[in-house]
Amino acid sequence: MHYARLSYNLLHGEMDFADHYSYRWPVLGFTALSYALFGVSDFATALPSLLLSLGILFLVYWHFKHSVYLILLSILLCCSIKWHVFYSDKITPDIYVSFFLFLAWSVYTRFSGDRFVFLDSIIFASSLFLAFLSKGTVLLIIPLLAFYFFRDFRKGDLYKWKYSIPIGL
């Protein structure tokens, strides 16, 4: 309810900068946009989280589309995780963090070579930034990113990081 009130206030041009939840801009922004399009209702409140949940399922498909068995297993696992299903229609930052981190990971692991490096870097850095704005606990991903960076550095394969680091900064 607190996010709903903050989103409603944001829709009407009011922002409570003393409340630290007011800085979770993706949650508030997408919910306020939903309120602007569909009015303040349960549907408008749940829609952004539902769309992000469907986005996660699409990313699972996109990432594992080379194998029907992996797609089915991944989607089954994704849909059987209690907390994923529980938060799929809630106005909380958890589904936003899940979506943006999975998007960043998917883009990193599926970098398309020299052809789309700049675009992939923008998506990678932006999704990490939006995940951080959704909830600060996203900092727990830093060890994985450090592992990927040092592994790529050791291989001499830094093309994934060539634009990602400057864009992210």
Side-chain angles (χ1 to χ4, degrees):
M1 286 304 197
H2 189 63
Y3 286 115
R5 183 178 57 80
L6 291 172
S7 298
Y8 179 79
N9 290 345
L10 178 65
L11 180 63
H12 291 90
E14 300 170 21
M15 189 84 158
D16 181 12
F17 291 106
D19 188 354
H20 71 280
Y21 292 111
S22 295
Y23 294 97
R24 294 184 175 172
W25 295 338
V27 179
L28 301 181
F30 287 131
T31 306
L33 177 64
S34 182
Y35 287 169
L37 295 174
F38 302 107
V40 178
S41 65
D42 288 339
F43 171 75
T45 301
L47 184 64
S49 295
L50 287 170
L51 290 176
L52 289 174
S53 297
L54 289 174
I56 290 171
L57 293 177
F58 172 76
L59 287 173
V60 167
Y61 168 76
W62 178 66
H63 195 71
F64 298 113
K65 64 183 172 186
H66 60 276
S67 170
V68 174
Y69 297 112
L70 279 177
I71 290 172
L72 292 176
L73 180 64
S74 300
I75 290 177
L76 179 66
L77 286 172
C78 188
C79 291
S80 65
I81 296 171
K82 177 183 174 184
W83 292 113
H84 176 77
V85 175
F86 179 75
Y87 285 119
S88 65
D89 67 336
K90 306 290 186 282
I91 183 172
T92 61
D94 301 300
I95 201 72
Y96 290 80
V97 170
S98 297
F99 174 76
F100 290 124
L101 283 182
F102 193 54
L103 177 62
W105 180 77
S106 294
V107 168
Y108 174 82
T109 58
R110 305 281 271 177
F111 259 90
S112 53
D114 291 333
R115 194 166 147 205
F116 297 108
V117 172
F118 188 71
L119 178 63
D120 288 343
S121 297
I122 289 173
I123 295 170
F124 178 71
S126 299
S127 60
L128 286 176
F129 181 67
L130 289 170
F132 177 74
L133 286 179
S134 297
K135 195 170 183 179
T137 57
V138 76
L139 293 175
L140 297 173
I141 197 77
I142 288 176
L144 178 64
L145 293 175
F147 168 77
Y148 282 153
F149 178 78
F150 289 120
R151 184 190 67 183
D152 292 345
F153 181 76
R154 204 176 63 204
K155 288 187 203 174
D157 189 20
L158 291 175
Y159 76 94
K160 295 178 182 180
W161 301 95
K162 181 169 67 172
Y163 298 114
S164 298
I165 291 175
I167 290 170
L169 294 176

